[in-house]
Amino acid sequence: MNELMEAVRAGRTAETLRLTARLTDAERRSCLSGLKELRKELRKVPAWENRSMKVLPALHLAGAACHTGAAAAAAWIAASDLRWNQAPTDALLRALEGRDTGWLADVAHRLAQRPESAGVPYDLMAALVARSGCEVPVTDPYVTGWVRHVGTGRYRNLVDRLRREPNLAPLVGGLFTLTDLSEIRWLFGDGPDSWQSALAALAREGLLDRASLVDACVARLLRGGGPTDHRTFLPLLTELALTREEQRARIPDWTALARDAVSPVAAHAQAVLAGLALDGGLTSRQLAEASEGLLFRAEKKLVRAQLVLLGKVLSRDAGAVAELLPVVAQAFGHEDSEMQERALKLVERHAKRLDGTEARDGLACLVTQLVPALRTRAAAVLGVAADTVEEVSEEVLPPAPEPVRSAPAPRTAEEVAEEVGALLATDGDVAAFERALDGLVRHTHQDPEGLRAALAPVLATRWWTQAEQRHWYSREDLFGNTRYGLLTAQEGLELLLATLHGAVSTHTLREAMRRPTSEYECAHSGLSRVFDARLREVAYRLRTDPMPLLLATPSWSTGLLEPEELVDRLAEYRRLDARVGASDFAQALLRVRRDDRAAAEQAARRARALGTAEGTRLARWLGTANNLPSARRRTKGVRILLEAAELLALQDGFPQEFHRLGRPMSVFAGRWHCAHWDQSIRGHWLAVLPERREMVAARLLGDLAGTAVDDQRGAAVLPLLAESGGQAGEAVHLCVAYGLGARHAEDRLAAVDALLVLAARGELDAARLGSDLGELVGRGAVKPQRLADSARTAAATGANATMWEMLRHVLPVPLAGLTGARPEAAAVAARGLGDLLAVAAECAERSGAKGEVPHLAAAAARRGSSRLVTQARRLRDALAEEVAA
């Protein structure tokens, strides 16, 4: 045993293999305790250090050889801490020689059940299966390893290599049960040398059961799955070339795929059904069932193709009218008006064949789903009075969200610990963070030892409490670094907890508070410095002179602080003869409500009566207004940004770290040195200036522009911006404009939420927003298709009049671009404009809008029947004609 342990500790793999081959089962088991102790030692050593790199292969081999139980041996071989440098597969197989086939089969199947992340070599599992003669394990790791082993689709001998596979049928069957194909999708290839072509060839040769392959393909496509599934199984299904009889036997499957599958699969299923329908292989009822789902899909190409098919069948078979025409009329509810009009044309063409009033009444019930411009035509065809279907939709806006009153600080240390732990696990909002912060300060002042005891379970999970943790930076470097400041709220909590735990020296805390933040300048610097300075001051005071409470804790979820509450807190400081924190008091001044003049004046009288310097300062501050710095527009590429002038009111009497808020802001300063990539901090920045959201919006404008221009993420802050206080001016509206043109749907939805909040609060200037969007569309910063999607989403909530007011100021710029001197410029202007005109036309119809839009008449007078021209004519007619109320 000693000889074996010496060989393992020295990392001599060959000697380890030779020594384990001589051991009996009892001797093997006796060696395990020493091997396990060595494994524990190595767990404390980083896997990349020389000692681990040298010892791990020998230890891995020895443990596999010495375990006599199959479960234990498999667990050792696949252990995560031994994964970094495993023993060679050949050596492992030699170490397992002599075991009975049942034991080897058990190990093979247990290894195959391990997740792919365990890194068990396929060669090892396959060799164990071959030696034991057991049934091949068809698990995700095993099948994935087999695919990688066989080779890529680029190898021309793929069919030959698959022919030589003794377990071909079960392994190919395993392809259809793989949970995730994303890692190996590229291996399947495309074209004649792909896996799909090879499997189809083997099916033609009889080496694979063709019927089973077809069944498996259809079942996998019906199941759905990841975004790459159809790229693997749909080409295989196509290669198998189903006969017409085989297609007819699967009509329910094609129907389900056409209704619910991803677009390429649905298109294939639709094509199969169309072929069957035109060959007489579908009954009217079967065609109706397939069409009911297809006509409500968002893909206009699929809907258009199905309506064409229905038109052909209706023209050929007069007896199918009663069955199919009600299905056609269901397309009246499609979101695209062109699809509605196509459906209406079919109804107009075949409605005269309907027998009885009951069928017509069924169609008439669907007329109200049409856009207003089509309802009169439908009413005439179906014999419905026009005044029963024509209506102007009432403007509906969601209720304006109300700020939530902040809860008081936690009453017990245990509650503080619970809330801090929750904040560290998830990104809490401003109110939760400020509540926990105030709780830490209050309980440190009241009972620091009790607070530390309550926080013990939370502290035990932090990396800086673990003695064995080794990082390239120290705790002092992390918590004392002021180059970029505290970039997230969680980092601020870590700083306070480390201070309470004693993990940071008082010298580091003092120097970090005194030393100005040396971060590179960027648009966010002023906001981040205020956040950073206050937390560093709190940390230093926790160690040296705990404050009884925080002055700047907000009264409301937006960050706003009621003046009476601030006066009460200053009175408590005077009663306790406590020293006010400069940064905390400065933040309180920025948060205190001043727009309610009566409440501000009353609080100012109380503050002046305190007789303290802070009370006098607060009284003066409450007597001033929330002035904003003057701003001017600047362009930067296709972007429109804002520059702000100096604001002395945010510099006089404030700590040095606050001065950046009041200094001029340029759009060309420090863009490439910005380190504020974590978006969770933005809500806290809004709480820095809760009555001056224009100033925050101007500093976020570059980020919001990136969501539209550079396809970045970052519009989640927009609803918070809309719910904040102060003037909603040029900066706020530009931020919303960029969000409405964002690349990602989630960002566009956040911008729509912000727009509706502003509208519900009476703060939306739709004309300004529309003019900004028109200019951005003209410059190429916002794509019309994305804007159309956002506008359609907002209009769907009932805000038709609001959206029309916005869109009528957007449209003149791209419409004017259609008449440009350069054809290429006109082509760019036309791209996506049809979608925008469609939304505008629907909003105008539903809101009963009237008037003219510059350059619309010229667009409507263009030749052709393109979507742009069709929707321009529709909008022109809606604005010109009277709509019955």
Side-chain angles (χ1 to χ4, degrees):
M1 176 179 176
N2 291 335
E3 188 178 1
L4 174 62
M5 290 305 302
E6 289 177 3
V8 172
R9 286 185 177 276
R12 297 192 290 269
T13 306
E15 185 178 349
T16 298
L17 178 62
R18 178 175 55 81
L19 292 173
T20 55
R22 303 174 182 174
L23 301 177
T24 64
D25 284 352
E27 290 173 333
R28 293 174 193 271
R29 288 191 290 269
S30 67
C31 294
L32 288 176
S33 60
L35 295 174
K36 291 178 179 177
E37 286 298 322
L38 177 57
R39 182 178 174 183
K40 288 181 181 179
E41 291 179 24
L42 292 179
R43 283 174 180 164
K44 300 179 180 179
V45 180
W48 55 84
E49 288 194 4
N50 290 334
R51 182 187 174 196
S52 288
M53 295 289 287
K54 183 178 181 180
V55 176
L56 279 176
L59 177 61
H60 189 235
L61 178 65
C66 290
H67 278 94
T68 56
W76 183 280
I77 292 171
S80 59
D81 56 327
L82 301 174
R83 187 187 315 154
W84 293 98
N85 201 12
Q86 296 181 349
T89 298
D90 291 344
L92 284 172
L93 291 172
R94 290 177 59 190
L96 300 179
E97 285 179 348
R99 307 295 179 97
D100 63 76
T101 56
W103 190 91
L104 292 175
D106 195 359
V107 171
H109 278 263
R110 289 179 182 276
L111 290 176
Q113 293 292 338
R114 293 280 173 165
E116 192 173 354
S117 59
V120 179
Y122 167 77
D123 292 343
L124 174 63
M125 294 186 289
L128 292 174
V129 169
R131 291 185 180 187
S132 66
C134 67
E135 183 179 351
V136 63
V138 187
T139 63
D140 281 11
Y142 195 93
V143 174
T144 300
W146 173 68
V147 172
R148 291 194 175 108
H149 173 75
V150 170
T152 70
R154 294 190 299 271
Y155 293 164
R156 295 189 178 277
N157 63 347
L158 177 61
V159 174
D160 294 335
R161 300 185 71 177
L162 289 173
R163 285 195 189 103
R164 294 194 294 269
E165 173 56 58
N167 298 299
L168 180 62
L171 288 173
V172 169
L175 290 175
F176 298 94
T177 60
L178 283 175
T179 304
D180 184 10
L181 286 168
S182 58
E183 294 296 325
I184 59 172
R185 164 66 188 90
W186 66 276
L187 291 168
F188 287 94
D190 297 297
D193 298 323
S194 66
W195 271 72
Q196 292 88 343
S197 296
L199 294 178
L202 294 175
R204 289 191 293 270
E205 295 175 11
L207 293 178
L208 290 173
D209 184 66
R210 183 176 176 280
S212 297
L213 285 180
V214 173
D215 289 340
C217 273
V218 174
R220 183 61 185 247
L221 293 173
L222 284 169
R223 191 187 83 180
T228 61
D229 280 17
H230 69 275
R231 298 174 188 167
T232 301
F233 300 110
L234 183 58
L236 176 56
L237 186 61
T238 304
E239 287 280 350
L240 292 172
L242 273 65
T243 65
R244 197 56 105 190
E245 290 72 22
E246 288 174 322
Q247 292 176 345
R248 189 176 296 110
R250 295 184 175 277
I251 289 175
D253 294 334
W254 307 127
T255 300
L257 291 172
R259 291 162 65 112
D260 302 318
V262 295
S263 188
V265 178
H268 176 79
Q270 183 188 42
V272 173
L273 289 171
L276 291 172
L278 296 176
D279 290 346
L282 281 186
T283 66
S284 298
R285 182 65 258 165
Q286 289 171 329
L287 179 57
E289 289 177 356
S291 301
E292 284 173 354
L294 262 169
L295 292 178
F296 281 100
R297 291 190 66 112
E299 302 95 329
K300 290 180 286 187
K301 181 179 180 180
L302 297 180
V303 177
R304 189 182 302 112
Q306 195 66 17
L307 288 172
V308 169
L309 173 63
L310 288 168
K312 291 179 179 179
V313 174
L314 286 169
S315 299
R316 237 175 29 177
D317 185 3
V321 171
E323 191 91 51
L324 296 181
L325 209 57
V327 177
V328 172
Q330 290 184 14
F332 289 176
H334 196 275
E335 64 179 18
D336 187 84
S337 63
E338 288 188 19
M339 300 302 104
Q340 294 182 12
E341 186 169 14
R342 284 177 177 269
L344 179 56
K345 286 180 178 178
L346 281 179
V347 171
E348 289 173 331
R349 189 178 309 149
H350 300 284
K352 58 181 177 292
R353 298 183 183 178
L354 285 174
D355 297 327
T357 59
E358 184 177 350
R360 288 179 176 272
D361 291 343
L363 296 182
C365 293
L366 301 173
V367 171
T368 55
Q369 298 181 15
L370 290 166
V371 297
L374 300 177
R375 290 177 191 165
T376 303
R377 286 171 51 186
V381 170
L382 299 173
V384 181
D387 57 358
T388 64
V389 297
E390 293 292 337
E391 60 179 11
V392 174
S393 301
E394 183 180 354
E395 178 78 351
V396 177
L397 292 173
E402 297 292 336
V404 178
R405 186 78 179 190
S406 298
R411 292 177 297 177
T412 66
E414 289 73 19
E415 289 181 29
V416 174
E418 182 179 347
E419 296 194 15
V420 169
L423 284 170
L424 290 172
T426 59
D427 290 329
D429 57 17
V430 172
F433 176 80
E434 292 286 346
R435 172 182 159 88
L437 187 63
D438 194 26
L440 285 171
V441 170
R442 289 174 183 264
H443 287 278
T444 302
H445 182 267
Q446 297 166 8
D447 182 13
E449 294 305 320
L451 178 61
R452 290 188 184 94
L455 287 171
V458 178
L459 296 175
T461 65
R462 313 323 300 164
W463 66 266
W464 36 264
T465 63
Q466 310 301 318
E468 67 272 13
Q469 287 281 8
R470 291 177 171 86
H471 293 269
W472 64 272
Y473 51 77
S474 69
R475 294 178 301 217
E476 300 292 321
D477 289 337
L478 177 66
F479 295 122
N481 176 33
T482 60
R483 181 179 184 183
Y484 296 112
L486 299 169
L487 304 180
T488 67
Q490 286 199 349
E491 289 180 5
L493 281 179
E494 296 275 11
L495 169 63
L496 301 183
L497 292 177
T499 301
L500 290 171
H501 185 66
V504 188
S505 68
T506 304
H507 172 76
T508 297
L509 294 171
R510 181 175 59 250
E511 290 303 307
M513 185 185 70
R514 292 179 176 178
R515 183 170 58 246
T517 304
S518 58
E519 62 180 15
Y520 290 113
E521 292 293 340
C522 68
H524 314 114
S525 297
L527 299 167
S528 65
R529 286 181 178 181
V530 171
F531 181 80
D532 183 84
R534 180 173 173 240
L535 286 178
R536 291 196 183 278
E537 177 186 77
V538 170
Y540 179 67
R541 291 289 296 274
L542 287 179
R543 176 66 58 78
T544 60
D545 182 18
M547 296 181 284
L549 52 88
L550 287 177
L551 295 172
T553 303
S555 307
W556 299 94
S557 56
T558 59
L560 201 60
L561 173 59
E562 291 296 338
E564 291 291 341
E565 289 189 35
L566 180 53
V567 175
D568 290 340
R569 294 170 189 174
L570 286 174
E572 181 67 9
Y573 264 80
R574 187 187 66 171
R575 186 184 70 81
L576 297 172
D577 194 23
R579 183 166 59 90
V580 170
S583 293
D584 184 38
F585 179 59
Q587 175 63 94
L589 293 178
L590 295 180
R591 285 179 174 171
V592 70
R593 182 195 293 274
R594 291 187 289 171
D595 59 356
D596 186 343
R597 297 312 306 160
E601 291 171 5
Q602 181 178 349
R605 288 192 293 269
R606 286 189 57 208
R608 196 174 292 108
L610 291 176
T612 62
E614 290 78 16
T616 303
R617 170 81 166 111
L618 173 59
R620 289 200 308 269
W621 180 256
L622 289 173
T624 62
N626 285 309
N627 295 325
L628 296 173
S630 59
R632 65 167 180 166
R633 290 195 173 207
R634 295 293 300 270
T635 58
K636 189 176 183 182
V638 299
R639 296 169 171 81
I640 300 173
L641 303 175
L642 294 177
E643 287 188 336
E646 189 172 33
L647 188 62
L648 294 177
L650 294 185
Q651 300 180 59
D652 295 342
F654 282 91
Q656 182 67 33
E657 290 295 291
F658 285 63
H659 289 184
R660 186 71 183 87
L661 285 176
R663 290 176 182 159
M665 186 188 69
S666 170
V667 300
F668 299 103
R671 173 67 179 169
W672 301 110
H673 300 296
C674 180
H676 304 100
W677 52 268
D678 192 303
Q679 297 179 25
S680 65
I681 195 65
R682 294 180 180 177
H684 297 273
W685 288 348
L686 279 167
V688 169
L689 295 166
E691 282 193 320
R692 286 189 173 101
R693 59 177 161 186
E694 270 291 288
M695 294 183 62
V696 181
R699 287 158 172 78
L700 296 177
L701 195 52
D703 302 313
L704 271 300
T707 65
V709 179
D710 300 323
D711 297 347
Q712 297 172 351
R713 297 299 306 271
V717 71
L718 285 176
L720 296 177
L721 184 66
E723 294 172 21
S724 190
Q727 177 183 342
E730 191 172 17
V732 170
H733 282 77
L734 273 173
C735 283
V736 174
Y738 282 119
L740 293 173
R743 161 65 176 83
H744 298 279
E746 297 85 353
D747 287 331
R748 294 198 297 272
L749 187 59
V752 169
D753 288 342
L755 183 152
L756 295 175
V757 168
L758 290 172
R761 296 175 62 173
E763 298 170 342
L764 179 68
D765 187 339
R768 165 182 276 179
L769 180 59
S771 298
D772 288 342
L773 280 166
E775 189 174 353
L776 291 172
V777 169
R779 297 179 63 84
V782 168
K783 292 180 172 57
Q785 299 98 320
R786 298 176 185 175
L787 177 57
D789 178 74
S790 297
R792 185 180 297 110
T793 302
T797 67
N800 292 290
T802 299
M803 296 315 300
W804 165 246
E805 181 64 19
M806 181 191 82
L807 290 171
R808 77 182 184 92
H809 289 88
V810 175
L811 291 172
V813 173
L815 286 173
L818 296 176
T819 59
R822 293 183 298 125
E824 59 272 19
V828 171
R831 195 172 302 148
L833 184 53
D835 293 333
L836 201 58
L837 285 166
V839 180
E842 184 164 353
C843 290
E845 291 166 348
R846 295 189 183 278
S847 63
K850 295 292 173 292
E852 296 183 358
V853 174
H855 312 292
L856 176 62
R862 290 161 66 100
R863 295 180 178 179
S865 58
S866 66
R867 179 169 176 79
L868 188 156
V869 173
T870 301
Q871 295 304 323
R873 293 168 182 168
R874 176 188 169 193
L875 177 57
R876 177 199 60 191
D877 296 342
L879 295 175
E881 295 178 2
E882 289 294 334
V883 178

